[in-house]
Amino acid sequence: MNLKLFPMDTQTCSLRMASYGFTTHDMIFKWKRDDPVQVTSDLHLQKFSLQQFTTDYCDSHTSTGVYSCLRVDFRFRRLFSHYLTQVYIPSTMMVIIAWLSFWIDSKKLTARMIVSLITLLVLALLATALNATLPPVSYTTAIDVWTGMCVTFVFLALVICVFASYVSSSENTASQNTAEQNSIADEPVGVPETKSTLKTNKYKNVFQRFLELKLSKKIDVIARIAYPLFFFLFNIIYWSSNSSMSDE
């Protein structure tokens, strides 16, 4: 079995019927022309669905003669709904929960650490339980890539939270050691702004406010936007590549 695309894989099972006691001079197997293989209409398998089957001949040529052989190949597709509800949706929820840690104040390091560590632990346990049900293989499967990337995203969220909290504490220490300088500026008196000017100033003010943020706040803002974007990009690449390979 090739499990590189697991759990979006298809497996082919071959059934051979041959005579090893009589050569083709005594016995010849042939498929019926119409409906050679009959499959019950209420066939239900636990983890697979039967896609199609093909018939062929597999005569064996030996030194003692030619022996007749029939072969039928059954093509099965693995049922994906079980892994969607048990692996993909829970792991996606863990990544989203880890993303929510960026919305917690960087000063509350304990709360952010608890959220990230719990999601990382749950994903690790999920990957361990999943691998225990699979046969050991020497290559990486599709679900290994998914769980590995989800663990990587959650681990990066943990690292970013710790780094942002460290920067925030450093900024607080620096601000306490320096004197606060307050400057009061009078508002400029001028001509009232039009709607287009107010709209332009609105976008300028948003960008200016971002530049005026502390470094720890900038890290959180960038992480809030970049984190889901990169995860969404990974989903596009993952599902498109695996769907195209599974259809081949």
Side-chain angles (χ1 to χ4, degrees):
M1 296 179 70
N2 189 348
L3 299 176
K4 289 184 178 181
L5 296 179
F6 177 88
M8 293 166 281
D9 57 328
T10 57
Q11 301 295 335
T12 301
C13 298
S14 298
L15 178 62
R16 297 171 182 262
M17 295 166 285
S19 171
Y20 291 96
F22 299 95
T23 63
T24 53
H25 295 289
D26 301 320
M27 181 181 296
I28 298 177
F29 291 146
K30 287 189 176 181
W31 287 111
K32 291 171 55 179
R33 178 172 300 179
D34 298 328
D35 196 12
V37 179
Q38 298 179 0
V39 180
T40 178
S41 59
D42 57 349
L43 177 64
H44 297 288
L45 301 177
Q46 183 178 5
K47 296 182 179 181
F48 293 91
S49 63
L50 179 62
Q51 298 293 306
Q52 62 180 4
F53 59 87
T54 56
T55 58
D56 199 359
Y57 293 93
C58 54
D59 294 347
S60 176
H61 297 265
T62 64
S63 59
T64 58
V66 180
Y67 296 87
S68 182
C69 175
L70 299 179
R71 185 184 70 192
V72 55
D73 296 328
F74 296 96
R75 186 178 179 86
F76 295 94
R77 179 177 291 274
R78 194 181 302 273
L79 298 177
F80 181 71
S81 58
H82 170 75
Y83 299 95
L84 178 65
T85 57
Q86 299 296 323
V87 178
Y88 286 92
I89 292 179
S91 57
T92 302
M93 293 173 63
M94 292 298 104
V95 174
I96 294 174
I97 292 174
W99 172 66
L100 294 178
S101 62
F102 297 132
W103 298 87
I104 303 175
D105 191 358
S106 58
K107 297 179 182 179
K108 299 179 180 179
L109 177 60
T110 304
R112 303 182 78 168
M113 289 285 291
I114 289 176
V115 173
S116 300
L117 285 174
I118 289 178
T119 53
L120 185 61
L121 179 61
V122 171
L123 278 177
L125 293 176
L126 180 65
T128 303
L130 179 64
N131 291 330
T133 61
L134 298 178
V137 292
S138 58
Y139 48 83
T140 303
T141 62
I143 203 167
D144 291 334
V145 176
W146 175 266
T147 55
M149 289 301 299
C150 288
V151 171
T152 302
F153 272 95
V154 175
F155 178 75
L156 287 176
L158 175 63
V159 173
I160 293 172
C161 289
V162 173
F163 180 70
S165 298
Y166 171 77
V167 173
S168 178
S169 62
S170 300
E171 291 172 345
N172 293 334
T173 303
S175 62
Q176 291 176 359
N177 295 333
T178 58
E180 296 183 358
Q181 298 179 355
N182 298 325
S183 60
I184 303 175
D186 296 331
E187 295 183 355
V189 178
V191 181
E193 296 178 326
T194 61
K195 290 184 178 180
S196 60
T197 307
L198 289 173
K199 188 176 181 180
T200 305
N201 290 339
K202 180 181 178 181
Y203 291 111
K204 288 183 178 179
N205 291 335
V206 171
F207 184 70
Q208 186 177 3
R209 279 186 293 174
F210 173 76
L211 294 178
E212 293 175 354
L213 291 175
K214 294 182 179 181
L215 180 58
S216 59
K217 295 295 183 181
K218 289 181 181 178
I219 294 173
D220 284 338
V221 172
I222 295 174
R224 292 170 188 173
I225 300 173
Y227 189 87
L229 286 179
F230 278 105
F231 187 69
F232 181 71
L233 179 62
F234 162 69
N235 273 267
I236 294 176
I237 298 173
Y238 179 84
W239 295 110
S240 60
S241 61
N242 282 282
S243 61
S244 62
M245 287 188 293
S246 61
D247 293 336
E248 293 179 355

